[in-house]
Amino acid sequence: PQIELAKHYAFANSPELETAAFDRWWTTFHDPVLDSYMEQGLAAGLNIQLAQERIVEAQSLFRAAGGENRLPAQLSGNATLATSASRTAGVDTYSETGTLGATFVFDLFGGVARGIEQAGAELDAAFYNAQTTRLAYQSELVTAYIETRYYQTAINLARRSIANRQRTLRLVQARVDANVATVLESSRAEAELSLVKADLPSLQIGFESNAVRLATLLTEPSQTVIKHLQATYKGIPNPTHKFDPGVPANLLRNRPDIMSAERSLAARMAAIGVSEAALYPSLSLG
């Protein structure tokens, strides 16, 4: 059968890609604590702030390369202004000097155009890198939160199981005292209680380690986060909405890390054009 395929794959923006990193997908868990943690983390995340600053840097480089003007040439200039004052034998002397210079380079072999292309591709890559960082942070924070709630639930179940085993042991011991049960049954009940108690420290370690992981993402003291998690425990959050992943090819095209890699490749290819243009003569007016 004939299959309709997209004519353009790489470098094609889509509305899904534009909003993917800003979609509040974690709200489908309907967990107010998770929502507050996510808002706090996205606002205070150092990696996210660093990625945003790299976008600003790339925008400045794009403007410096002439990307906003799109001229087939490059214009650069400089200006200096100096003033001086001196006093000799009661006579004041003032002097002012100023220079202004400009250079207009004709883009005979496309070096300037390829430089603009390179700066534009690097700007796109910085934008997609920021989205990748944002998505990675969201995923890590939600995973740490769910893991923490899982261990809290496991601890509660283990404690309930310990209480049940202790009641069973008391009943068995009472039966042994009444010569209705054997000492073997009592020893078996004690062993089962010890097994359940042995699981509790590892579950507690799992809770505390994930709480510290969560606190690191939130840049908060671990003890503060642990107390808040214990005070707001309501079980493991579950999503109430199912997402359709769609066609795998479209899913890959909408991944910001893949788009970033494509734009980085485009920037490297444009840099080759800049180097090739430097092999040929240039024409400039000063």
Side-chain angles (χ1 to χ4, degrees):
Q2 296 293 329
I3 300 176
E4 294 294 333
L5 297 177
K7 296 181 180 179
H8 301 284
Y9 290 92
F11 320 137
N13 295 331
S14 65
E16 292 79 7
L17 179 64
E18 297 288 343
T19 59
F22 301 96
D23 183 20
R24 298 174 57 85
W25 55 271
W26 58 87
T27 58
T28 59
F29 290 98
H30 297 288
D31 192 320
V33 179
L34 176 59
D35 295 342
S36 64
Y37 282 170
M38 186 64 71
E39 292 177 0
Q40 177 184 350
L42 291 176
L46 297 180
N47 289 334
I48 296 177
Q49 295 178 10
L50 178 60
Q52 294 294 333
E53 291 302 320
R54 284 174 177 165
I55 293 179
V56 176
E57 178 187 9
Q59 289 174 341
S60 301
L61 295 175
F62 182 66
R63 288 192 296 268
E68 295 181 348
N69 298 324
R70 299 287 182 180
L71 295 175
Q74 189 175 39
L75 178 64
S76 61
N78 59 80
T80 60
L81 179 64
T83 61
S84 62
S86 62
R87 183 179 180 86
T88 304
V91 179
D92 295 330
T93 304
Y94 299 94
S95 64
E96 297 179 356
T97 59
T99 60
L100 178 64
T103 303
F104 191 84
V105 181
F106 293 92
D107 192 18
L108 299 178
F109 300 100
V112 175
R114 297 306 299 274
I116 295 175
E117 180 183 342
Q118 178 185 2
E122 290 175 346
L123 174 59
D124 293 339
F127 174 72
Y128 295 131
N129 280 332
Q131 287 195 344
T132 303
T133 304
R134 187 181 180 91
L135 286 173
Y137 182 87
Q138 294 171 1
S139 176
E140 183 68 17
L141 190 141
V142 171
T143 301
Y145 180 79
I146 293 178
E147 289 285 343
T148 304
R149 292 308 193 191
Y150 162 77
Y151 279 106
Q152 281 186 287
T153 303
I155 289 172
N156 291 336
L157 292 176
R159 287 173 177 170
R160 288 167 56 185
S161 180
I162 290 173
N164 292 333
R165 299 289 183 184
Q166 289 174 340
R167 285 195 295 267
T168 301
L169 178 60
R170 288 194 296 269
L171 290 175
V172 172
Q173 289 176 343
R175 288 168 58 87
V176 171
D177 295 338
N179 293 324
V180 180
T182 64
V183 178
L184 178 61
E185 293 176 346
S186 176
S187 300
R188 183 179 299 143
E190 291 179 357
E192 292 176 352
L193 175 61
S194 299
L195 287 175
V196 177
K197 286 183 176 180
D199 292 335
L200 190 58
S202 62
L203 296 176
Q204 188 67 33
I205 292 174
F207 165 73
E208 293 178 356
S209 61
N210 280 279
V212 171
R213 173 184 173 193
L214 189 61
T216 303
L217 293 170
L218 297 173
T219 63
E220 289 284 343
S222 58
Q223 291 299 326
T224 302
V225 175
I226 290 175
K227 290 181 180 179
H228 187 257
L229 289 170
Q230 292 173 341
T232 58
Y233 172 73
K234 293 182 179 180
I236 304 174
N238 294 309
T240 58
H241 179 71
K242 294 184 179 180
F243 294 93
D244 183 10
V247 181
N250 290 330
L251 181 62
L252 288 176
R253 284 201 300 273
N254 284 332
R255 280 182 48 171
D257 55 339
I258 294 179
M259 296 296 293
S260 174
E262 289 180 344
R263 299 310 293 156
S264 296
L265 175 61
R268 302 289 80 77
M269 296 298 293
I272 294 176
V274 175
S275 299
E276 288 180 343
L279 297 175
Y280 301 103
S282 61
L283 177 61
S284 62
L285 292 179

